[in-house]
Amino acid sequence: MAVKTKGVIAAGHPKTAEAGRLMLELGGNAFDAAIAAVFAAFVVESTLTSAGGGGFLLAHTEDHQDLLFDFFCQTPRYPKPLFDIEFYPVELNFGGALQIFHIGKGAIAVPGALAGAFTVHQRLGKLPFTTVIEPAIDYARNGFILNSFNEFTHQLLEPILLGEPEGQELYAPSGKLLEQGDISYHHNFAQTLTYLAEKGIQDFYQGDIAHQIVKDLSSGGYLTLEDLQAYEVIVRKPLKLNYRGYELLTNPPPSSGGTLIAFALKLLESLDLKQLEWGSAEHLTLLSQVMRCTNTARKNHYDEAIYQASLVEEFLSPANCQTYQQELQGVCNKLGSTTHISVMDDLGNAASVTTSNGEGSSYIVPGTGIMLNNMLGEADLNPQGFHHWQPNQRLSSMMSPTLVLKNGRPEMVLGSGGSNRIRTAILQVISNCLDFDLPIAIAVNRSRIHWENQTLDLEPLNCPEVLNKLVFADETRINLWDNLNMFFGGVHATRLSDNGELEGVGDPRRSGVAIYS
């Protein structure tokens, strides 16, 4: 439902969105709302994001600045012999697919979330920082009622959440994992935020907390005090591309997700999708082939060149795209844990912010309530193999906060969680809106697919007989899911409607909500 508002925020939890709405009511802008929501998510979505993780915020300001704040995790400066490293696999069951992640002290990269949130607020926010973090402190100190998605992620991540005594105290205080309807308290994190508001965010990187982290990780981990003290937020120019008359802004290298979305859109743009029926066998076959071609191009031309200055120009060049576009013409003739927040205000500001803790490392900094990340243990972030990262570099991420502009004005803000499904989720929502003219709520709620490693995963189809008409190579396996599932991402999006009103939608796959101010 579209209404006239001061702003709209879409997020993965009602309390996350409410924190942002409060900032808009207090006279703050989209960036105050986004940062308040980020801190709130550290509490109420703590299984998906954390002050010990990292992320990105893509901003379009009312004076037409386009900025990408990169506060993702950094690789350590100094490798260590593997026999000194604590690093082990855990298998998570999404209900229709199994995925292996690696955790432990040796999976922890340098966190950037706190530095990033503070930097964005100082540069673009209007309200005092103490005001912006107050909702998070309130939720952490006074507790919040767990919903069904909280319970689901607790069960999904139980081996990680309960891996250390601090996690057991936080997520199973009575000896049993907290469930829907229980009240969750994050007393230590409330004290930490209050302390950091007084001492400054840099204390996490240089003060007592930093020294505690380094001491605890000296055996089994990579991080040093130099790693923490040297961390810097990087402000980049967003990756820009045109798609069917719209300007898209997304995450540039060294992150991968935005560039791979751009590549997939270039493939789609060579075809007239309006000739296809949404959800038909031809449409699904085409989408899966776009995903297959993108994965092939990534393997052949992208991963090994991730830090080359000319990567985007060469990877998205007509010469590189043409071969794959020709493959798609033939097809037509045959026919992660992460959370996202989208905000738009009535001044023309827009913020798209994606943050993640990976799946968590099991290690919670004693007395702080902050679980550090496991970014060195996610296969999709380490395409050259575990422990083969380049020292002191930003890790490449699939997180792709995205803005769609029309005539220089923000029309759509979106992004997603979902590990290596992030880019295919965003791709499909963009295509649903711009190729099939679907309203934003319908575009987000429609069933999705994901092709990877010769497997096509599909959410439920309106016409099951479509499966029999799909055209694939013989080795492709098809996995039809019973329900919409967080495996396929969580696209929380906002949009400026044709009549000039702001509207938003939270992805039901991750219990998302949209709130108006």
Side-chain angles (χ1 to χ4, degrees), residues 229-306:
Q229 291 176 338
Y231 185 86
E232 293 183 351
V233 177
I234 302 172
V235 182
R236 305 184 190 276
K237 292 182 180 180
L239 173 61
K240 297 185 179 183
L241 69 146
N242 293 314
Y243 184 71
R244 306 200 193 278
Y246 293 83
E247 182 179 32
L248 272 69
L249 310 179
T250 190
N251 203 359
S255 284
S256 300
T259 306
L260 297 176
I261 290 172
F263 184 86
L265 288 171
K266 281 188 172 292
L267 300 188
L268 281 181
E269 194 171 33
S270 67
L271 305 164
D272 184 3
L273 271 64
K274 292 187 183 300
Q275 294 182 355
L276 303 179
E277 178 186 354
W278 189 96
S280 65
E282 293 81 6
H283 176 224
L284 297 183
T285 299
L286 174 63
L287 276 180
S288 66
Q289 293 301 321
V290 167
M291 296 174 190
R292 179 188 63 78
C293 288
T294 303
N295 288 352
T296 301
R298 177 188 181 186
K299 181 179 179 181
N300 292 342
H301 308 290
Y302 189 89
D303 284 337
E304 292 186 357
I306 194 99

Side-chain angles (χ1 to χ4, degrees), residues 107-390:
I108 300 171
V110 187
L114 283 174
F118 185 74
T119 298
V120 172
H121 174 263
Q122 293 299 103
R123 182 155 177 178
L124 300 179
K126 293 170 58 179
L127 299 174
F129 184 65
T130 50
T131 300
V132 171
I133 65 171
E134 186 55 38
I137 294 175
D138 175 46
Y139 302 158
R141 178 183 294 135
N142 298 315
F144 66 97
I145 299 174
L146 296 174
N147 62 23
S148 59
F149 189 68
N150 290 134
E151 178 179 331
F152 175 77
T153 57
H154 283 185
Q155 294 172 348
L156 176 68
L157 299 171
E158 181 176 2
I160 299 172
L161 302 182
L162 305 186
E164 299 289 341
E166 290 83 1
Q168 296 166 17
E169 180 181 349
L170 182 59
Y171 294 104
S174 62
K176 179 184 176 184
L177 200 64
L178 291 174
E179 300 175 346
Q180 179 180 359
D182 291 337
I183 299 177
S184 178
Y185 298 95
H186 293 234
H187 294 303
N188 286 344
F189 189 56
Q191 294 175 1
T192 299
L193 284 183
T194 303
Y195 172 80
L196 291 175
E198 176 185 347
K199 295 289 187 180
I201 293 294
Q202 280 306 310
D203 194 80
F204 178 85
Y205 296 91
Q206 300 178 9
D208 292 342
I209 298 177
H211 284 83
Q212 179 70 57
I213 292 172
V214 171
K215 177 183 176 182
D216 289 348
L217 300 189
S218 61
S219 174
Y222 289 105
L223 296 195
T224 65
L225 190 60
E226 186 179 357
D227 288 322
L228 293 169
Q229 291 176 338
Y231 185 86
E232 293 183 351
V233 177
I234 302 172
V235 182
R236 305 184 190 276
K237 292 182 180 180
L239 173 61
K240 297 185 179 183
L241 69 146
N242 293 314
Y243 184 71
R244 306 200 193 278
Y246 293 83
E247 182 179 32
L248 272 69
L249 310 179
T250 190
N251 203 359
S255 284
S256 300
T259 306
L260 297 176
I261 290 172
F263 184 86
L265 288 171
K266 281 188 172 292
L267 300 188
L268 281 181
E269 194 171 33
S270 67
L271 305 164
D272 184 3
L273 271 64
K274 292 187 183 300
Q275 294 182 355
L276 303 179
E277 178 186 354
W278 189 96
S280 65
E282 293 81 6
H283 176 224
L284 297 183
T285 299
L286 174 63
L287 276 180
S288 66
Q289 293 301 321
V290 167
M291 296 174 190
R292 179 188 63 78
C293 288
T294 303
N295 288 352
T296 301
R298 177 188 181 186
K299 181 179 179 181
N300 292 342
H301 308 290
Y302 189 89
D303 284 337
E304 292 186 357
I306 194 99
Y307 296 108
Q308 291 182 10
S310 61
L311 172 61
V312 170
E313 291 77 8
E314 294 178 5
F315 188 69
L316 299 181
S317 69
N320 190 43
C321 293
Q322 186 175 17
T323 300
Y324 302 100
Q325 289 171 339
Q326 290 172 346
E327 286 190 38
L328 292 179
Q329 293 287 347
V331 170
C332 288
N333 290 337
K334 294 177 182 177
L335 307 169
S337 289
T338 302
T339 194
H340 182 80
I341 298 160
S342 294
V343 191
M344 299 173 76
D345 67 27
D346 59 357
L347 300 174
N349 297 301
S352 179
V353 53
T354 312
T355 61
S356 178
N357 198 31
E359 286 66 45
S361 61
S362 281
Y363 169 72
I364 295 179
V365 185
T368 69
I370 298 176
M371 181 180 287
L372 297 189
N373 63 85
N374 71 315
M375 298 301 183
L376 300 182
E378 289 215 32
D380 210 51
L381 305 189
N382 297 270
Q384 305 304 316
F386 295 127
H387 311 293
H388 290 288
W389 35 262
Q390 295 185 33

Side-chain angles (χ1 to χ4, degrees), residues 79-97:
K80 289 183 179 179
L82 292 185
F83 59 77
D84 286 340
I85 297 301
E86 177 189 287
F87 189 86
Y88 56 94
V90 292
E91 187 175 72
L92 303 184
N93 188 342
F94 285 84

Side-chain angles (χ1 to χ4, degrees), residues 372-416:
L372 297 189
N373 63 85
N374 71 315
M375 298 301 183
L376 300 182
E378 289 215 32
D380 210 51
L381 305 189
N382 297 270
Q384 305 304 316
F386 295 127
H387 311 293
H388 290 288
W389 35 262
Q390 295 185 33
N392 197 32
Q393 297 279 358
R394 275 294 198 274
L395 279 165
S396 181
S397 172
M398 284 297 122
M399 292 194 283
S400 309
T402 300
L403 300 178
V404 178
L405 308 182
K406 184 71 171 180
N407 298 323
R409 184 178 183 183
E411 178 158 318
M412 185 160 57
V413 181
L414 73 163
S416 180

Side-chain angles (χ1 to χ4, degrees), residues 42-64:
F42 291 161
V43 180
V44 301
E45 301 178 63
S46 66
T47 54
L48 304 177
T49 184
S50 165
F56 305 88
L57 187 145
L58 178 58
H60 176 87
T61 68
E62 58 187 291
D63 58 355
H64 303 290

